[in-house]
């Protein structure tokens, strides 16, 4: 059984506000008033202020001088940048060990992929957790602490992309197992170049889908994907 992690009051407040944003209880552009949140959550304004500061760093809220805090609109450019960086970090990791994951590493990734089967459209948070653990195996194998730290700092960006880039949550949940199983099979080939190309395609597939749907931008998207 997994151990329950103790959370501070600030962490609980951060998580509560974050999930309200990701579940669209707080819509993009909506103003966030500290006193209203304080009353709603039953905590003082201090933890609220600290939580909003962290969520600003995660890219979920933004401050505008003389206006205040509001929910940030996640753009296609935001998703592209986050996925480009994650893919690049993972490719750097793969090149350090030339794509040679051990049988134990592959078994761990396979176990995570199997875990994805049990989650549905109401479990996107759990699916994001599986996604992060799957990709963390790829980065940790390199044994480069700074690389792992830089990659980990994008985890909440990945969460933002997951929710913002998937309006149809049932479809999003259904495809997670298949796309990660395909990537796992590429890793089994232990071919460095094939793996690096597959990682890029794995991330950019979402960007290409959103461009095609036209749901977050127009045809003039300025980056090549």
């Amino acid at each position: 059984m997994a151990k329950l992690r103790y959370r501070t009051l600030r962490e609980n407040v951060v998580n509560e506000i974050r999930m309200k944003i990701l579940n669209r209880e707080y819509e993009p552009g909506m103003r966030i008033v500290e006193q209203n949140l304080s009353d709603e959550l039953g905590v003082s304004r201090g933890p609220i202020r600290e939580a909003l500061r962290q969520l600003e760093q995660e890219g979920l809220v933004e401050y505008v001088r003389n206006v205040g805090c509001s929910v940030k609109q996640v753009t296609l450019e935001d998703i592209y940048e986050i996925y480009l960086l994650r893919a690049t970090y993972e490719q750097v990791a793969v090149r350090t060990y030339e794509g040679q994951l051990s049988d134990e590493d592959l078994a761990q990734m396979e176990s995570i992929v199997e875990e994805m089967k049990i989650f549905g459209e109401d479990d996107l948070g759990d699916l994001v957790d599986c996604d992060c653990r799957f990709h963390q195996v790829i980065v940790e194998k390199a044994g480069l602490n700074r690389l792992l730290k830089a990659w980990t700092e994008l985890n909440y960006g990945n969460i933002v992309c997951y929710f913002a880039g998937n309006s149809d949550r049932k479809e999003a949940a259904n495809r997670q197992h298949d796309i990660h199983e395909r990537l796992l099979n590429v890793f089994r080939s232990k071919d460095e170049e094939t793996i690096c190309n597959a990682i890029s395609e794995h991330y950019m597939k979402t960007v290409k889908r959103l461009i095609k749907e036209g749901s977050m931008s127009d045809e003039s998207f300025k980056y090549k994907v």
Side-chain angles (χ1 to χ4, degrees):
M1 179 182 293
K3 293 182 179 179
L4 296 176
R5 186 175 75 84
Y6 170 77
R7 281 181 175 160
T8 64
L9 174 60
R10 181 188 63 79
E11 288 173 326
N12 279 324
V13 172
V14 167
N15 189 63
E16 187 69 24
I17 301 173
R18 183 191 295 122
M19 293 313 299
K20 286 180 179 294
I21 293 172
L22 295 176
N23 287 318
R24 294 301 179 107
E25 292 179 51
Y26 296 164
E27 292 284 347
M30 176 180 168
R31 250 198 97 199
I32 298 178
V33 181
E34 289 181 9
Q35 187 58 57
N36 292 348
L37 269 177
S38 176
D39 294 340
E40 181 181 350
L41 300 180
V43 299
S44 66
R45 292 178 63 176
I48 298 291
R49 193 171 297 116
E50 292 175 0
L52 291 176
R53 193 174 298 119
Q54 178 175 330
L55 292 170
E56 182 184 21
Q57 293 174 344
E58 293 178 11
L60 285 173
V61 303
E62 60 184 346
Y63 277 97
V64 177
R65 190 174 181 181
N66 298 324
V67 175
C69 179
S70 62
V71 178
K72 189 176 185 298
Q73 174 69 55
V74 178
T75 66
L76 186 54
E77 285 78 10
D78 292 326
I79 293 178
Y80 171 80
E81 182 179 10
I82 290 167
Y83 280 172
L84 175 67
L85 289 173
R86 282 176 70 89
T88 300
Y89 291 152
E90 290 175 28
Q91 289 168 332
V92 169
V94 166
R95 294 196 184 283
T96 66
Y97 51 83
E98 299 180 329
Q100 304 300 302
L101 286 180
S102 68
D103 290 342
E104 290 77 12
D105 295 324
L106 294 170
Q108 183 179 352
M109 293 165 74
E110 182 176 11
S111 175
I112 295 169
V113 170
E114 287 301 304
E115 191 177 338
M116 288 179 171
K117 285 183 176 179
I118 69 174
F119 297 121
E121 61 185 297
D122 296 325
D123 307 303
L124 277 196
D126 294 308
L127 280 165
V128 174
D129 178 65
C130 285
D131 178 282
C132 286
R133 287 189 287 117
F134 178 94
H135 289 272
Q136 186 170 334
V137 176
I138 299 169
V139 182
E140 281 187 334
K141 178 70 174 181
L144 300 173
N145 291 332
R146 290 177 181 83
L147 178 63
L148 178 60
K149 183 176 185 295
W151 178 88
T152 302
E153 286 174 351
L154 289 170
N155 276 351
Y156 284 120
N158 189 42
I159 295 173
V160 172
C161 292
Y162 230 89
F163 280 78
N166 292 293
S167 57
D168 187 334
R169 295 193 174 185
K170 183 176 181 179
E171 181 185 347
N174 288 339
R175 65 174 165 251
Q176 289 314 304
H177 171 270
D178 292 342
I179 64 175
H180 285 88
E181 185 172 53
R182 284 197 294 271
L183 186 56
L184 172 59
N185 286 332
V186 175
F187 268 93
R188 288 194 175 106
S189 75
K190 301 196 176 183
D191 183 280
E192 180 182 332
E193 287 303 320
T194 302
I195 292 169
C196 286
N197 290 335
I199 288 172
S200 179
E201 178 62 24
H202 178 83
Y203 280 109
M204 288 301 114
K205 188 173 291 184
T206 296
V207 179
K208 291 176 181 177
R209 174 173 55 80
L210 291 172
I211 290 174
K212 184 176 180 180
E213 291 174 355
S215 58
M216 300 189 71
S217 183
D218 57 25
E219 295 179 358
S220 62
F221 187 62
K222 58 185 177 181
Y223 299 110
K224 183 178 179 180
V225 292

